[in-house]
């Protein structure tokens, strides 16, 4: 599994360890920060709490990973990784084959 990741990301074994550590530490930081922020809302744990927590963690995760990547020296890797991820999930406008002046 690790060899597959090394080949996919074109990195050496030492750098792969740093990348995996960044994912782990960034995810842990994100979960911790998300729980702390949710505690400040005083919302009872229930479906609303879960939905807000998922939304909050989705927003916090890229920030947490980028913050952790700086001291581990993986900022360049994660800036490219998150840019590719954003490109995959962004909403694309449908291409229009007719011009604006033509009637539908």
């Amino acid at each position: 599994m690790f060899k597959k990741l090394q080949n996919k990301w074109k990195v050496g074994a030492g750098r792969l360890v740093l990348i995996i550590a960044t994912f782990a530490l960034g995810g842990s930081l994100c979960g911790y920060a998300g729980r702390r922020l949710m505690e400040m809302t005083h919302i009872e744990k229930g479906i609303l709490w879960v939905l807000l927590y998922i939304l909050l963690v989705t927003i916090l995760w890229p920030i947490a990973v980028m913050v952790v990547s700086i001291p581990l020296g993986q900022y360049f890797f994660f800036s490219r990784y998150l840019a590719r991820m954003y490109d995959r999930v962004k909403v694309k406008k449908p291409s229009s084959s007719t011009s604006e002046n033509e009637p539908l």
Side-chain angles (χ1 to χ4, degrees), residues 60-75:
L60 287 177
W61 184 80
I63 297 166
V65 168
M66 291 306 290
V67 167
V68 172
S69 72
I70 293 168
L72 293 179
Q74 300 306 311
Y75 180 81

Side-chain angles (χ1 to χ4, degrees), residues 50-99:
V50 171
L51 292 174
L52 288 175
Y53 179 75
I54 290 170
L55 178 64
L56 184 61
V57 167
T58 302
I59 294 167
L60 287 177
W61 184 80
I63 297 166
V65 168
M66 291 306 290
V67 167
V68 172
S69 72
I70 293 168
L72 293 179
Q74 300 306 311
Y75 180 81
F76 183 69
F77 174 85
F78 280 95
S79 62
R80 289 183 302 145
Y81 181 85
L82 291 174
R84 285 190 311 262
M85 184 185 289
Y86 174 74
D87 286 342
R88 288 183 191 147
V89 299
K90 75 178 177 182
V91 178
K92 295 180 182 175
K93 294 180 182 178
S95 60
S96 171
S97 60
T98 62
S99 72

